Amino acid sequence: MSTPHDHPNQFALLGQRRFAPFFWAQFLGAGNDNLFKFAFTVMVTFGTAHASGLAPALVVQLIAALFILPFLLFSATSGQLADKFDKATLIRFVKSLEIAIMLIALYGFTSKNIPALLGCTFLLGVHSTLFGPVKYAYLPQHLSERELTGGNGMVEMGTFVAILLGNVVGGLLIALPEVGPSYVAWSCLGVAVLGRVSAQFVPSAPATDAALKINWNPFTETVRNLKLAHESVVVFRSLLGISWMWFFGAVFLTQFPAFAKDVLHGNEQVASLLLVVFSIGIAIGSLLCETLSRRHVEIGLVPFGAFGMSVFSIDLYFASRGLAHPDTALTLAQFVALGQNWRVMADLALLALFAGLYSVPMYALIQMRSQPSHRARIIAANNILNALFMIASAGMAAVLLKTGVTVPQLFLITGVLNLLVAGYIFLLVPEYLLRFIAWVATRTVYRFKVRGDEHIPTDGAAILVCNHVSFVDAILLMAASPRPIVFIMDHRIFKLPVLGTLFRLAKAVPIAPQKEDPQAYERAFARAREVLGDGQLLCIFPEGAITRDGQLGEFKGGVMKLLESNPVPVVPLALQNLWGSFFSRIDGAAMTKPFRRGLFSPVGLVAGEPLPAAQVSPAVLRERVGALLAS
């Protein structure tokens, strides 16, 4: 993996070879898929193709089914290939395959041959299936943890912008009298060639499991991939969370034509406008993730995104009720001129924006937490689940609409379902909820500034030692760390009504003084050794209690006891300017005078360079933390 790069924002990645050629290769591929599919769909719908013996409506359904079928059949195989071979080599192969497919499409469009174009649709599905695991497994090999959220945001933004442009260009070109199909065919071939040129400059991303023996049975391999993903509960639940997002999004994307025609009383241009608004919303939300997460993989954004998705999908139902019924279908200009429609567009844009905030951190989390040796196979399992959830979405929508549910009511039902499903996921994986609370606290109660966070390890076991100033020290440290921290904390804190619940959810380890409860003392250290043995981060407050005078207390020897059996690096941390805040004991008791320092009180965390276990002592650690406090 690359080391952190100092760049102003995620757009700077477009000037770097490790990202730019890959970005443009995937951007052009997504655009080409949609240019082809939309032009083909329009050509069939408006009857400009040779008779094939199939009803146009059936052909349209076949286009959708044939494109998604390879995701179910070949995702398991493509994940293995991406783990076994260099990903740059696979990208070049896939882009060469795209050129071959578009040569067949050239014949299909110019001769208006429906079976040939249906074959191309299936082959494009194969192309996308092969590219999917490569796309998401490539990023963590070339981007650092601090760049992963921004890189994923760029990819998600690029994908939806490419989809939008592909649909627009495909629709415009196919509508040209007589020459439309030829223009589409040559455009698809040209875009494929440009994609292959971009792929040529993608740098090497070596195999992560070169000795892997390919299992060509897609069914047994799919089961194996799901088992690999299930080894990490957080990763597996994240796969389900992303698949749910595709379920949610598919409901809206597939209903835009009917929503535009039957509810908004607009023409085809209004349906296209809905797609534009939705795509722009996703793109903006995806790009906002890096700023809101402060360049970390911040899964605290996921509950925020889920809540926004539900709020604005439910409001979309209310916004679309009671709209005026014009005598003729509204043109784009007429639709935009009506003020009542701006609330509809705002709801659509904002629910898409929050979907971007929801999905990007989940993709980044899967990339960061998956074992590198089988990361692509886990992403392949994600693609299979995505396809199944989208099929289920179509089935649910079809059943509900057939029973008389209106499109706005379908949006309302989906929004309520999203609240229930998201809540269930967050209960199963409390880390999302805890990170959300930490994310909110560090942006509302406090203005939280972190320095030296590159010293907090992104992988491997380590002990974090920090001064203890308030009852929310652990929450602030959660917000600063790129990965979960297991805290050893005074057992009395667990008796506090709200904070105790939070720390139990965080699986913090209660500890009591050895003289008071020797069994609890030994249990705490036994659990701490397990945590370090599993390669996790462990945090201990070596003062043993929250300061009562704001001064740094004596460091006790608990760290030394841990290092005897687990000689791991020790990272000194210092919380600054928390003394005097609502959660400190400045008046002898915490949580009095809540507005003593007002909202957005500035506090900070400074992380120092890790110390090897051999150089650690309580006195050295106290000296290091004291120096950080003064910095």
Side-chain angles (χ1 to χ4, degrees), residues 216-249:
W216 297 101
N217 186 322
F219 304 106
T220 58
E221 186 60 26
T222 295
V223 172
R224 186 183 302 172
N225 288 353
L226 291 173
K227 286 181 178 178
L228 284 173
H230 203 268
E231 290 176 2
S232 169
V233 173
V234 174
V235 168
F236 187 72
R237 303 297 186 197
S238 298
L239 297 184
L240 294 178
I242 288 173
S243 297
W244 171 255
M245 192 274 292
W246 282 104
F247 179 105
F248 178 93

PDB file of all heavy atoms in Angstrom, residues 216-249:
ATOM      1  N   TRP A 216     -13.889 -23.385 -10.602  1.00  0.00           N
ATOM      2  CA  TRP A 216     -14.732 -22.898 -11.698  1.00  0.00           C
ATOM      3  C   TRP A 216     -16.219 -23.112 -11.440  1.00  0.00           C
ATOM      4  O   TRP A 216     -17.043 -22.675 -12.244  1.00  0.00           O
ATOM      5  CB  TRP A 216     -14.329 -23.585 -13.009  1.00  0.00           C
ATOM      6  CG  TRP A 216     -12.920 -23.268 -13.416  1.00  0.00           C
ATOM      7  CD1 TRP A 216     -11.822 -24.053 -13.262  1.00  0.00           C
ATOM      8  CD2 TRP A 216     -12.450 -22.050 -14.012  1.00  0.00           C
ATOM      9  NE1 TRP A 216     -10.695 -23.412 -13.726  1.00  0.00           N
ATOM     10  CE2 TRP A 216     -11.048 -22.179 -14.202  1.00  0.00           C
ATOM     11  CE3 TRP A 216     -13.066 -20.859 -14.412  1.00  0.00           C
ATOM     12  CZ2 TRP A 216     -10.270 -21.177 -14.763  1.00  0.00           C
ATOM     13  CZ3 TRP A 216     -12.290 -19.854 -14.964  1.00  0.00           C
ATOM     14  CH2 TRP A 216     -10.901 -20.017 -15.142  1.00  0.00           C
ATOM     15  N   ASN A 217     -16.558 -23.770 -10.348  1.00  0.00           N
ATOM     16  CA  ASN A 217     -17.971 -23.972 -10.010  1.00  0.00           C
ATOM     17  C   ASN A 217     -18.504 -22.714  -9.338  1.00  0.00           C
ATOM     18  O   ASN A 217     -18.126 -22.414  -8.197  1.00  0.00           O
ATOM     19  CB  ASN A 217     -18.118 -25.175  -9.074  1.00  0.00           C
ATOM     20  CG  ASN A 217     -19.578 -25.516  -8.800  1.00  0.00           C
ATOM     21  OD1 ASN A 217     -20.423 -24.638  -8.664  1.00  0.00           O
ATOM     22  ND2 ASN A 217     -19.862 -26.806  -8.718  1.00  0.00           N
ATOM     23  N   PRO A 218     -19.365 -21.940 -10.006  1.00  0.00           N
ATOM     24  CA  PRO A 218     -19.792 -20.655  -9.439  1.00  0.00           C
ATOM     25  C   PRO A 218     -20.616 -20.806  -8.174  1.00  0.00           C
ATOM     26  O   PRO A 218     -20.594 -19.924  -7.308  1.00  0.00           O
ATOM     27  CB  PRO A 218     -20.628 -20.028 -10.562  1.00  0.00           C
ATOM     28  CG  PRO A 218     -21.095 -21.180 -11.390  1.00  0.00           C
ATOM     29  CD  PRO A 218     -20.004 -22.206 -11.310  1.00  0.00           C
ATOM     30  N   PHE A 219     -21.319 -21.919  -8.018  1.00  0.00           N
ATOM     31  CA  PHE A 219     -22.207 -22.074  -6.865  1.00  0.00           C
ATOM     32  C   PHE A 219     -21.408 -22.380  -5.598  1.00  0.00           C
ATOM     33  O   PHE A 219     -21.598 -21.729  -4.563  1.00  0.00           O
ATOM     34  CB  PHE A 219     -23.238 -23.176  -7.156  1.00  0.00           C
ATOM     35  CG  PHE A 219     -24.031 -22.924  -8.409  1.00  0.00           C
ATOM     36  CD1 PHE A 219     -23.780 -23.658  -9.563  1.00  0.00           C
ATOM     37  CD2 PHE A 219     -25.002 -21.935  -8.444  1.00  0.00           C
ATOM     38  CE1 PHE A 219     -24.498 -23.416 -10.725  1.00  0.00           C
ATOM     39  CE2 PHE A 219     -25.719 -21.687  -9.599  1.00  0.00           C
ATOM     40  CZ  PHE A 219     -25.467 -22.425 -10.749  1.00  0.00           C
ATOM     41  N   THR A 220     -20.508 -23.368  -5.681  1.00  0.00           N
ATOM     42  CA  THR A 220     -19.713 -23.687  -4.498  1.00  0.00           C
ATOM     43  C   THR A 220     -18.760 -22.546  -4.151  1.00  0.00           C
ATOM     44  O   THR A 220     -18.504 -22.271  -2.973  1.00  0.00           O
ATOM     45  CB  THR A 220     -18.903 -24.984  -4.705  1.00  0.00           C
ATOM     46  OG1 THR A 220     -18.048 -24.825  -5.860  1.00  0.00           O
ATOM     47  CG2 THR A 220     -19.835 -26.165  -4.935  1.00  0.00           C
ATOM     48  N   GLU A 221     -18.254 -21.848  -5.168  1.00  0.00           N
ATOM     49  CA  GLU A 221     -17.337 -20.735  -4.906  1.00  0.00           C
ATOM     50  C   GLU A 221     -18.074 -19.550  -4.297  1.00  0.00           C
ATOM     51  O   GLU A 221     -17.524 -18.831  -3.445  1.00  0.00           O
ATOM     52  CB  GLU A 221     -16.629 -20.314  -6.192  1.00  0.00           C
ATOM     53  CG  GLU A 221     -15.556 -19.259  -5.995  1.00  0.00           C
ATOM     54  CD  GLU A 221     -14.437 -19.703  -5.062  1.00  0.00           C
ATOM     55  OE1 GLU A 221     -14.192 -20.931  -4.952  1.00  0.00           O
ATOM     56  OE2 GLU A 221     -13.822 -18.829  -4.426  1.00  0.00           O
ATOM     57  N   THR A 222     -19.313 -19.327  -4.713  1.00  0.00           N
ATOM     58  CA  THR A 222     -20.108 -18.250  -4.114  1.00  0.00           C
ATOM     59  C   THR A 222     -20.309 -18.508  -2.630  1.00  0.00           C
ATOM     60  O   THR A 222     -20.150 -17.597  -1.796  1.00  0.00           O
ATOM     61  CB  THR A 222     -21.473 -18.141  -4.815  1.00  0.00           C
ATOM     62  OG1 THR A 222     -21.276 -17.754  -6.178  1.00  0.00           O
ATOM     63  CG2 THR A 222     -22.356 -17.100  -4.121  1.00  0.00           C
ATOM     64  N   VAL A 223     -20.646 -19.749  -2.283  1.00  0.00           N
ATOM     65  CA  VAL A 223     -20.818 -20.104  -0.870  1.00  0.00           C
ATOM     66  C   VAL A 223     -19.509 -19.896  -0.116  1.00  0.00           C
ATOM     67  O   VAL A 223     -19.487 -19.351   0.993  1.00  0.00           O
ATOM     68  CB  VAL A 223     -21.298 -21.564  -0.742  1.00  0.00           C
ATOM     69  CG1 VAL A 223     -21.294 -22.003   0.720  1.00  0.00           C
ATOM     70  CG2 VAL A 223     -22.689 -21.722  -1.335  1.00  0.00           C
ATOM     71  N   ARG A 224     -18.394 -20.299  -0.737  1.00  0.00           N
ATOM     72  CA  ARG A 224     -17.084 -20.133  -0.093  1.00  0.00           C
ATOM     73  C   ARG A 224     -16.763 -18.648   0.114  1.00  0.00           C
ATOM     74  O   ARG A 224     -16.240 -18.260   1.166  1.00  0.00           O
ATOM     75  CB  ARG A 224     -16.011 -20.788  -0.954  1.00  0.00           C
ATOM     76  CG  ARG A 224     -14.628 -20.807  -0.315  1.00  0.00           C
ATOM     77  CD  ARG A 224     -13.593 -21.406  -1.257  1.00  0.00           C
ATOM     78  NE  ARG A 224     -13.951 -22.771  -1.654  1.00  0.00           N
ATOM     79  CZ  ARG A 224     -13.294 -23.457  -2.580  1.00  0.00           C
ATOM     80  NH1 ARG A 224     -12.264 -22.911  -3.203  1.00  0.00           N
ATOM     81  NH2 ARG A 224     -13.660 -24.682  -2.877  1.00  0.00           N
ATOM     82  N   ASN A 225     -17.063 -17.816  -0.872  1.00  0.00           N
ATOM     83  CA  ASN A 225     -16.811 -16.381  -0.748  1.00  0.00           C
ATOM     84  C   ASN A 225     -17.622 -15.756   0.379  1.00  0.00           C
ATOM     85  O   ASN A 225     -17.130 -14.907   1.130  1.00  0.00           O
ATOM     86  CB  ASN A 225     -17.126 -15.662  -2.063  1.00  0.00           C
ATOM     87  CG  ASN A 225     -16.104 -15.962  -3.142  1.00  0.00           C
ATOM     88  OD1 ASN A 225     -15.091 -16.604  -2.889  1.00  0.00           O
ATOM     89  ND2 ASN A 225     -16.368 -15.507  -4.348  1.00  0.00           N
ATOM     90  N   LEU A 226     -18.876 -16.176   0.487  1.00  0.00           N
ATOM     91  CA  LEU A 226     -19.724 -15.645   1.563  1.00  0.00           C
ATOM     92  C   LEU A 226     -19.189 -16.080   2.929  1.00  0.00           C
ATOM     93  O   LEU A 226     -19.241 -15.316   3.894  1.00  0.00           O
ATOM     94  CB  LEU A 226     -21.167 -16.110   1.373  1.00  0.00           C
ATOM     95  CG  LEU A 226     -21.907 -15.500   0.168  1.00  0.00           C
ATOM     96  CD1 LEU A 226     -23.260 -16.154  -0.023  1.00  0.00           C
ATOM     97  CD2 LEU A 226     -22.073 -13.991   0.343  1.00  0.00           C
ATOM     98  N   LYS A 227     -18.645 -17.288   3.002  1.00  0.00           N
ATOM     99  CA  LYS A 227     -18.049 -17.745   4.264  1.00  0.00           C
ATOM    100  C   LYS A 227     -16.795 -16.928   4.593  1.00  0.00           C
ATOM    101  O   LYS A 227     -16.556 -16.589   5.759  1.00  0.00           O
ATOM    102  CB  LYS A 227     -17.707 -19.234   4.171  1.00  0.00           C
ATOM    103  CG  LYS A 227     -18.926 -20.155   4.230  1.00  0.00           C
ATOM    104  CD  LYS A 227     -18.524 -21.621   4.147  1.00  0.00           C
ATOM    105  CE  LYS A 227     -19.731 -22.536   4.260  1.00  0.00           C
ATOM    106  NZ  LYS A 227     -19.372 -23.971   4.126  1.00  0.00           N
ATOM    107  N   LEU A 228     -15.985 -16.619   3.563  1.00  0.00           N
ATOM    108  CA  LEU A 228     -14.805 -15.780   3.787  1.00  0.00           C
ATOM    109  C   LEU A 228     -15.217 -14.414   4.334  1.00  0.00           C
ATOM    110  O   LEU A 228     -14.604 -13.886   5.259  1.00  0.00           O
ATOM    111  CB  LEU A 228     -14.035 -15.597   2.471  1.00  0.00           C
ATOM    112  CG  LEU A 228     -13.184 -16.768   1.982  1.00  0.00           C
ATOM    113  CD1 LEU A 228     -12.644 -16.464   0.586  1.00  0.00           C
ATOM    114  CD2 LEU A 228     -12.033 -17.040   2.941  1.00  0.00           C
ATOM    115  N   ALA A 229     -16.265 -13.841   3.724  1.00  0.00           N
ATOM    116  CA  ALA A 229     -16.735 -12.526   4.176  1.00  0.00           C
ATOM    117  C   ALA A 229     -17.272 -12.602   5.595  1.00  0.00           C
ATOM    118  O   ALA A 229     -17.099 -11.664   6.388  1.00  0.00           O
ATOM    119  CB  ALA A 229     -17.815 -12.014   3.228  1.00  0.00           C
ATOM    120  N   HIS A 230     -17.895 -13.733   5.945  1.00  0.00           N
ATOM    121  CA  HIS A 230     -18.525 -13.862   7.253  1.00  0.00           C
ATOM    122  C   HIS A 230     -17.509 -14.000   8.377  1.00  0.00           C
ATOM    123  O   HIS A 230     -17.872 -13.901   9.563  1.00  0.00           O
ATOM    124  CB  HIS A 230     -19.470 -15.071   7.248  1.00  0.00           C
ATOM    125  CG  HIS A 230     -20.543 -14.997   8.285  1.00  0.00           C
ATOM    126  ND1 HIS A 230     -20.400 -15.533   9.538  1.00  0.00           N
ATOM    127  CD2 HIS A 230     -21.773 -14.418   8.262  1.00  0.00           C
ATOM    128  CE1 HIS A 230     -21.483 -15.307  10.249  1.00  0.00           C
ATOM    129  NE2 HIS A 230     -22.338 -14.631   9.498  1.00  0.00           N
ATOM    130  N   GLU A 231     -16.238 -14.227   8.032  1.00  0.00           N
ATOM    131  CA  GLU A 231     -15.203 -14.324   9.062  1.00  0.00           C
ATOM    132  C   GLU A 231     -15.074 -13.019   9.847  1.00  0.00           C
ATOM    133  O   GLU A 231     -14.667 -13.023  11.004  1.00  0.00           O
ATOM    134  CB  GLU A 231     -13.862 -14.687   8.433  1.00  0.00           C
ATOM    135  CG  GLU A 231     -13.811 -16.124   7.912  1.00  0.00           C
ATOM    136  CD  GLU A 231     -12.502 -16.435   7.206  1.00  0.00           C
ATOM    137  OE1 GLU A 231     -11.628 -15.537   7.155  1.00  0.00           O
ATOM    138  OE2 GLU A 231     -12.350 -17.564   6.697  1.00  0.00           O
ATOM    139  N   SER A 232     -15.399 -11.895   9.201  1.00  0.00           N
ATOM    140  CA  SER A 232     -15.449 -10.603   9.899  1.00  0.00           C
ATOM    141  C   SER A 232     -16.898 -10.136   9.920  1.00  0.00           C
ATOM    142  O   SER A 232     -17.483  -9.875   8.866  1.00  0.00           O
ATOM    143  CB  SER A 232     -14.583  -9.561   9.183  1.00  0.00           C
ATOM    144  OG  SER A 232     -14.833  -8.270   9.713  1.00  0.00           O
ATOM    145  N   VAL A 233     -17.473 -10.071  11.113  1.00  0.00           N
ATOM    146  CA  VAL A 233     -18.886  -9.692  11.225  1.00  0.00           C
ATOM    147  C   VAL A 233     -19.120  -8.311  10.631  1.00  0.00           C
ATOM    148  O   VAL A 233     -20.101  -8.077   9.917  1.00  0.00           O
ATOM    149  CB  VAL A 233     -19.331  -9.726  12.707  1.00  0.00           C
ATOM    150  CG1 VAL A 233     -20.735  -9.178  12.851  1.00  0.00           C
ATOM    151  CG2 VAL A 233     -19.261 -11.148  13.245  1.00  0.00           C
ATOM    152  N   VAL A 234     -18.211  -7.379  10.912  1.00  0.00           N
ATOM    153  CA  VAL A 234     -18.383  -6.018  10.416  1.00  0.00           C
ATOM    154  C   VAL A 234     -18.372  -5.995   8.883  1.00  0.00           C
ATOM    155  O   VAL A 234     -19.189  -5.330   8.249  1.00  0.00           O
ATOM    156  CB  VAL A 234     -17.280  -5.093  10.974  1.00  0.00           C
ATOM    157  CG1 VAL A 234     -17.369  -3.708  10.354  1.00  0.00           C
ATOM    158  CG2 VAL A 234     -17.401  -4.985  12.489  1.00  0.00           C
ATOM    159  N   VAL A 235     -17.451  -6.752   8.276  1.00  0.00           N
ATOM    160  CA  VAL A 235     -17.373  -6.794   6.816  1.00  0.00           C
ATOM    161  C   VAL A 235     -18.645  -7.392   6.229  1.00  0.00           C
ATOM    162  O   VAL A 235     -19.240  -6.856   5.291  1.00  0.00           O
ATOM    163  CB  VAL A 235     -16.137  -7.594   6.351  1.00  0.00           C
ATOM    164  CG1 VAL A 235     -16.212  -7.883   4.855  1.00  0.00           C
ATOM    165  CG2 VAL A 235     -14.866  -6.813   6.665  1.00  0.00           C
ATOM    166  N   PHE A 236     -19.098  -8.513   6.790  1.00  0.00           N
ATOM    167  CA  PHE A 236     -20.282  -9.184   6.237  1.00  0.00           C
ATOM    168  C   PHE A 236     -21.521  -8.302   6.366  1.00  0.00           C
ATOM    169  O   PHE A 236     -22.322  -8.194   5.435  1.00  0.00           O
ATOM    170  CB  PHE A 236     -20.508 -10.521   6.938  1.00  0.00           C
ATOM    171  CG  PHE A 236     -21.603 -11.337   6.315  1.00  0.00           C
ATOM    172  CD1 PHE A 236     -21.418 -11.952   5.083  1.00  0.00           C
ATOM    173  CD2 PHE A 236     -22.830 -11.484   6.959  1.00  0.00           C
ATOM    174  CE1 PHE A 236     -22.430 -12.699   4.499  1.00  0.00           C
ATOM    175  CE2 PHE A 236     -23.836 -12.232   6.382  1.00  0.00           C
ATOM    176  CZ  PHE A 236     -23.641 -12.840   5.152  1.00  0.00           C
ATOM    177  N   ARG A 237     -21.689  -7.679   7.539  1.00  0.00           N
ATOM    178  CA  ARG A 237     -22.853  -6.791   7.706  1.00  0.00           C
ATOM    179  C   ARG A 237     -22.753  -5.593   6.758  1.00  0.00           C
ATOM    180  O   ARG A 237     -23.767  -5.082   6.288  1.00  0.00           O
ATOM    181  CB  ARG A 237     -22.951  -6.292   9.147  1.00  0.00           C
ATOM    182  CG  ARG A 237     -23.025  -7.374  10.202  1.00  0.00           C
ATOM    183  CD  ARG A 237     -24.255  -8.225  10.093  1.00  0.00           C
ATOM    184  NE  ARG A 237     -24.352  -9.153  11.205  1.00  0.00           N
ATOM    185  CZ  ARG A 237     -25.115 -10.236  11.239  1.00  0.00           C
ATOM    186  NH1 ARG A 237     -25.859 -10.540  10.190  1.00  0.00           N
ATOM    187  NH2 ARG A 237     -25.149 -11.025  12.291  1.00  0.00           N
ATOM    188  N   SER A 238     -21.529  -5.167   6.475  1.00  0.00           N
ATOM    189  CA  SER A 238     -21.355  -4.065   5.533  1.00  0.00           C
ATOM    190  C   SER A 238     -21.749  -4.478   4.118  1.00  0.00           C
ATOM    191  O   SER A 238     -22.311  -3.688   3.362  1.00  0.00           O
ATOM    192  CB  SER A 238     -19.906  -3.564   5.560  1.00  0.00           C
ATOM    193  OG  SER A 238     -19.575  -3.062   6.834  1.00  0.00           O
ATOM    194  N   LEU A 239     -21.441  -5.737   3.749  1.00  0.00           N
ATOM    195  CA  LEU A 239     -21.884  -6.240   2.451  1.00  0.00           C
ATOM    196  C   LEU A 239     -23.405  -6.183   2.357  1.00  0.00           C
ATOM    197  O   LEU A 239     -23.972  -5.764   1.333  1.00  0.00           O
ATOM    198  CB  LEU A 239     -21.424  -7.684   2.247  1.00  0.00           C
ATOM    199  CG  LEU A 239     -19.923  -7.974   2.204  1.00  0.00           C
ATOM    200  CD1 LEU A 239     -19.687  -9.447   1.889  1.00  0.00           C
ATOM    201  CD2 LEU A 239     -19.211  -7.115   1.191  1.00  0.00           C
ATOM    202  N   LEU A 240     -24.069  -6.594   3.429  1.00  0.00           N
ATOM    203  CA  LEU A 240     -25.532  -6.550   3.440  1.00  0.00           C
ATOM    204  C   LEU A 240     -26.024  -5.105   3.390  1.00  0.00           C
ATOM    205  O   LEU A 240     -27.013  -4.802   2.722  1.00  0.00           O
ATOM    206  CB  LEU A 240     -26.068  -7.242   4.705  1.00  0.00           C
ATOM    207  CG  LEU A 240     -25.814  -8.741   4.822  1.00  0.00           C
ATOM    208  CD1 LEU A 240     -26.354  -9.276   6.141  1.00  0.00           C
ATOM    209  CD2 LEU A 240     -26.446  -9.495   3.656  1.00  0.00           C
ATOM    210  N   GLY A 241     -25.301  -4.213   4.073  1.00  0.00           N
ATOM    211  CA  GLY A 241     -25.694  -2.805   4.066  1.00  0.00           C
ATOM    212  C   GLY A 241     -25.579  -2.189   2.689  1.00  0.00           C
ATOM    213  O   GLY A 241     -26.467  -1.426   2.259  1.00  0.00           O
ATOM    214  N   ILE A 242     -24.506  -2.483   1.959  1.00  0.00           N
ATOM    215  CA  ILE A 242     -24.344  -1.961   0.599  1.00  0.00           C
ATOM    216  C   ILE A 242     -25.405  -2.555  -0.322  1.00  0.00           C
ATOM    217  O   ILE A 242     -25.997  -1.852  -1.151  1.00  0.00           O
ATOM    218  CB  ILE A 242     -22.933  -2.273   0.070  1.00  0.00           C
ATOM    219  CG1 ILE A 242     -21.901  -1.395   0.783  1.00  0.00           C
ATOM    220  CG2 ILE A 242     -22.844  -2.057  -1.440  1.00  0.00           C
ATOM    221  CD1 ILE A 242     -20.478  -1.738   0.446  1.00  0.00           C
ATOM    222  N   SER A 243     -25.662  -3.854  -0.177  1.00  0.00           N
ATOM    223  CA  SER A 243     -26.677  -4.494  -1.014  1.00  0.00           C
ATOM    224  C   SER A 243     -28.048  -3.881  -0.757  1.00  0.00           C
ATOM    225  O   SER A 243     -28.842  -3.711  -1.681  1.00  0.00           O
ATOM    226  CB  SER A 243     -26.707  -6.004  -0.736  1.00  0.00           C
ATOM    227  OG  SER A 243     -25.475  -6.596  -1.078  1.00  0.00           O
ATOM    228  N   TRP A 244     -28.307  -3.542   0.500  1.00  0.00           N
ATOM    229  CA  TRP A 244     -29.575  -2.874   0.804  1.00  0.00           C
ATOM    230  C   TRP A 244     -29.648  -1.511   0.112  1.00  0.00           C
ATOM    231  O   TRP A 244     -30.707  -1.115  -0.377  1.00  0.00           O
ATOM    232  CB  TRP A 244     -29.762  -2.696   2.314  1.00  0.00           C
ATOM    233  CG  TRP A 244     -30.955  -1.830   2.602  1.00  0.00           C
ATOM    234  CD1 TRP A 244     -30.970  -0.537   3.005  1.00  0.00           C
ATOM    235  CD2 TRP A 244     -32.328  -2.209   2.432  1.00  0.00           C
ATOM    236  NE1 TRP A 244     -32.248  -0.070   3.104  1.00  0.00           N
ATOM    237  CE2 TRP A 244     -33.114  -1.073   2.753  1.00  0.00           C
ATOM    238  CE3 TRP A 244     -32.974  -3.375   2.037  1.00  0.00           C
ATOM    239  CZ2 TRP A 244     -34.498  -1.083   2.709  1.00  0.00           C
ATOM    240  CZ3 TRP A 244     -34.352  -3.389   1.984  1.00  0.00           C
ATOM    241  CH2 TRP A 244     -35.111  -2.259   2.315  1.00  0.00           C
ATOM    242  N   MET A 245     -28.531  -0.795   0.042  1.00  0.00           N
ATOM    243  CA  MET A 245     -28.524   0.494  -0.651  1.00  0.00           C
ATOM    244  C   MET A 245     -28.905   0.323  -2.121  1.00  0.00           C
ATOM    245  O   MET A 245     -29.644   1.124  -2.695  1.00  0.00           O
ATOM    246  CB  MET A 245     -27.144   1.142  -0.524  1.00  0.00           C
ATOM    247  CG  MET A 245     -27.083   2.611  -0.963  1.00  0.00           C
ATOM    248  SD  MET A 245     -26.810   2.872  -2.730  1.00  0.00           S
ATOM    249  CE  MET A 245     -25.142   2.291  -2.911  1.00  0.00           C
ATOM    250  N   TRP A 246     -28.407  -0.754  -2.755  1.00  0.00           N
ATOM    251  CA  TRP A 246     -28.776  -1.010  -4.149  1.00  0.00           C
ATOM    252  C   TRP A 246     -30.246  -1.394  -4.264  1.00  0.00           C
ATOM    253  O   TRP A 246     -30.915  -1.052  -5.242  1.00  0.00           O
ATOM    254  CB  TRP A 246     -27.872  -2.105  -4.730  1.00  0.00           C
ATOM    255  CG  TRP A 246     -26.519  -1.578  -5.089  1.00  0.00           C
ATOM    256  CD1 TRP A 246     -25.357  -1.758  -4.413  1.00  0.00           C
ATOM    257  CD2 TRP A 246     -26.192  -0.741  -6.208  1.00  0.00           C
ATOM    258  NE1 TRP A 246     -24.326  -1.098  -5.024  1.00  0.00           N
ATOM    259  CE2 TRP A 246     -24.810  -0.467  -6.134  1.00  0.00           C
ATOM    260  CE3 TRP A 246     -26.937  -0.199  -7.253  1.00  0.00           C
ATOM    261  CZ2 TRP A 246     -24.157   0.326  -7.071  1.00  0.00           C
ATOM    262  CZ3 TRP A 246     -26.294   0.584  -8.191  1.00  0.00           C
ATOM    263  CH2 TRP A 246     -24.918   0.840  -8.091  1.00  0.00           C
ATOM    264  N   PHE A 247     -30.775  -2.125  -3.288  1.00  0.00           N
ATOM    265  CA  PHE A 247     -32.210  -2.421  -3.237  1.00  0.00           C
ATOM    266  C   PHE A 247     -32.990  -1.113  -3.195  1.00  0.00           C
ATOM    267  O   PHE A 247     -33.934  -0.901  -3.965  1.00  0.00           O
ATOM    268  CB  PHE A 247     -32.493  -3.264  -1.988  1.00  0.00           C
ATOM    269  CG  PHE A 247     -33.945  -3.642  -1.782  1.00  0.00           C
ATOM    270  CD1 PHE A 247     -34.367  -4.932  -2.038  1.00  0.00           C
ATOM    271  CD2 PHE A 247     -34.870  -2.718  -1.310  1.00  0.00           C
ATOM    272  CE1 PHE A 247     -35.694  -5.295  -1.841  1.00  0.00           C
ATOM    273  CE2 PHE A 247     -36.200  -3.065  -1.107  1.00  0.00           C
ATOM    274  CZ  PHE A 247     -36.617  -4.363  -1.376  1.00  0.00           C
ATOM    275  N   PHE A 248     -32.594  -0.237  -2.284  1.00  0.00           N
ATOM    276  CA  PHE A 248     -33.246   1.059  -2.097  1.00  0.00           C
ATOM    277  C   PHE A 248     -33.173   1.894  -3.382  1.00  0.00           C
ATOM    278  O   PHE A 248     -34.179   2.416  -3.873  1.00  0.00           O
ATOM    279  CB  PHE A 248     -32.555   1.782  -0.933  1.00  0.00           C
ATOM    280  CG  PHE A 248     -33.070   3.158  -0.642  1.00  0.00           C
ATOM    281  CD1 PHE A 248     -34.060   3.349   0.305  1.00  0.00           C
ATOM    282  CD2 PHE A 248     -32.547   4.276  -1.280  1.00  0.00           C
ATOM    283  CE1 PHE A 248     -34.524   4.625   0.591  1.00  0.00           C
ATOM    284  CE2 PHE A 248     -32.996   5.543  -1.003  1.00  0.00           C
ATOM    285  CZ  PHE A 248     -33.993   5.722  -0.057  1.00  0.00           C
ATOM    286  N   GLY A 249     -31.963   2.013  -3.942  1.00  0.00           N
ATOM    287  CA  GLY A 249     -31.786   2.844  -5.132  1.00  0.00           C
ATOM    288  C   GLY A 249     -32.519   2.315  -6.341  1.00  0.00           C
ATOM    289  O   GLY A 249     -33.055   3.092  -7.153  1.00  0.00           O
TER     290      GLY A 249
END
